[in-house]
Amino acid sequence: DVLTGIISGLVSQGYEPLDAAVLGTYVHGSAADEALKRGYTHETLTASVILSCFSEAILKISDNCQKL
């Protein structure tokens, strides 16, 4: 599962489990939002589609954090 992989990756990078779960869920949702913007629907949204939108979601989140 993509969400589990994201959270596990964050934990392995040193994030506390709760922080990794919150951030991982947010990134996962943001990737799904990006997929919907690309024209995918809730019916066609798959794990591989979310994964293909992952890097774009991360870049948007990091850009927003730098603006703070």
Side-chain angles (χ1 to χ4, degrees):
D1 180 63
V2 176
L3 178 57
T4 302
I6 294 169
I7 294 170
S8 298
L10 291 169
V11 169
S12 71
Q13 291 179 44
Y15 284 83
E16 292 295 320
L18 179 60
D19 294 334
V22 171
L23 180 57
T25 302
Y26 183 79
V27 171
H28 186 272
S30 295
D33 289 342
E34 290 300 321
L36 293 174
K37 289 178 189 175
R38 292 183 185 181
Y40 290 94
T41 65
H42 291 92
E43 292 81 19
T44 61
L45 197 59
T46 62
S48 59
V49 171
I50 291 174
L51 189 58
S52 72
C53 297
F54 178 76
S55 60
E56 190 172 342
I58 288 288
L59 290 174
K60 283 190 175 187
I61 291 168
S62 67
D63 286 346
N64 288 333
C65 288
Q66 290 176 2
K67 292 177 184 175
L68 297 176

